[in-house]
Amino acid sequence: SAVISQKPSRDICQRGTSLTIQCQVDSQVTMMFWYRQQPGQSLTLIATANQGSEATYESGFVIDKFPISRPNLTFSTLTVSNMSPEDSSIYLCSVEIRGRNRETQYFGPGTRLLVL
Amino acid sequence: SQQGEEDPQALSIQEGENATMNCSYKTSINNLQWYRQNSGRGLVHLILIRSNEREKHSGRLRVTLDTSKKSSSLLITASRAADTASYFCATDGGSGAGSYQLTFGKGTKLSVIP
């Protein structure tokens, strides 16, 4: 397994501002993912972040709105830009750990964002 | 497209009873996973079942997979109040370059009444 931490754990932001969420893993991982969970909804994949390459975004998500950095194998950031109340969600990062259950993903605790 | 539709959407049971949640999906998969999410918290991985497996156990959890029906079930036996949470199934993308990406269902909200 992996120990994944996220900062901040929660934040309240004003419309039009940006927030950068950090994700730190205690081991080197190739694949990291960012998800969004809107209130009462399931998780939706925003993008896949692999070290050394540009993030791959899912339909409906664009780099200008959700820029992602992946400077090394243990760290990634997701920025929510020019926020609106519709961006209020829990944002989670996850990593894929290869082992006996090689496709297993492990999740961080999430960042709860409220945009006013 | 969205896979992993769970039912029921909400389930309320008494402590000690068994809870069964179902998940259906649409396309071929390599594996199916179940996660638990306590209110407002991150996901906790519960169990992974591969497409060539039919049943798997982990403590009080039992997962079945029927690839012919594209469905899975999660059974929690002898439920406890601490089992109160939302449960999600997640499927990978099957074969292909994007197969590692998980798609989640809407989840089943389980309430265990003491």
Side-chain angles (χ1 to χ4, degrees):
Chain A
S1 63
V3 177
I4 305 168
S5 60
Q6 285 184 232
K7 287 182 184 179
S9 59
R10 58 177 60 216
D11 208 342
I12 301 173
C13 301
Q14 295 296 322
R15 182 196 299 260
T17 62
S18 298
L19 176 72
T20 296
I21 302 168
Q22 300 178 6
C23 179
Q24 180 77 51
V25 191
D26 68 342
S27 57
Q28 293 185 335
V29 296
T30 302
M31 311 190 81
M32 295 181 78
F33 307 90
W34 286 98
Y35 291 84
R36 179 177 74 182
Q37 185 180 28
Q38 293 176 301
Q41 303 293 317
S42 184
L43 272 72
T44 303
L45 179 64
I46 298 172
T48 302
N50 293 335
Q51 196 268 337
S53 62
E54 294 288 324
T56 303
Y57 289 82
E58 296 301 302
S59 175
F61 298 97
V62 294
I63 188 171
D64 289 345
K65 176 67 176 176
F66 297 102
I68 287 171
S69 78
R70 183 80 203 273
N72 57 53
L73 292 173
T74 62
F75 188 77
S76 178
T77 67
L78 169 77
T79 298
V80 186
S81 303
N82 188 25
M83 289 183 284
S84 67
E86 291 72 32
D87 293 320
S88 298
S89 296
I90 298 173
Y91 292 85
L92 298 103
C93 69
S94 76
V95 303
E96 182 187 76
I97 298 293
R98 293 192 170 255
R100 199 154 57 96
N101 293 324
R102 63 183 176 90
E103 295 88 359
T104 302
Q105 288 191 21
Y106 294 89
F107 287 79
T111 295
R112 185 187 286 268
L113 171 62
L114 176 63
V115 184
L116 302 177
Chain B
S1 62
Q2 190 74 7
Q3 294 211 105
E5 298 289 331
E6 292 96 333
D7 77 87
Q9 291 187 351
L11 179 63
S12 184
I13 59 174
Q14 295 290 328
E15 200 166 30
E17 293 181 339
N18 296 341
T20 299
M21 289 160 272
N22 302 299
C23 168
S24 60
Y25 56 93
K26 295 191 175 100
T27 63
S28 64
I29 62 171
N30 289 327
N31 59 66
L32 184 145
Q33 304 181 54
W34 284 92
Y35 289 82
R36 183 184 73 223
Q37 185 182 32
N38 290 82
S39 179
R41 307 286 294 277
L43 291 175
V44 174
H45 180 257
L46 295 177
I47 199 164
L48 177 152
I49 186 166
R50 296 183 186 278
S51 59
N52 61 354
E53 297 175 315
R54 291 296 165 257
E55 188 171 309
K56 214 161 177 181
H57 297 255
S58 176
R60 293 185 295 114
L61 304 180
R62 174 177 166 248
V63 168
T64 63
L65 179 64
D66 187 336
T67 52
S68 66
K69 294 181 180 176
K70 290 187 168 60
S71 67
S72 173
S73 68
L74 170 67
L75 168 68
I76 304 175
T77 59
S79 64
R80 305 167 182 167
D83 295 329
T84 295
S86 291
Y87 292 82
F88 294 89
C89 71
T91 53
D92 71 358
S95 60
S99 62
Y100 50 80
Q101 294 169 345
L102 296 180
T103 303
F104 286 81
K106 292 185 170 64
T108 293
K109 192 165 186 177
L110 173 66
S111 298
V112 181
I113 303 165

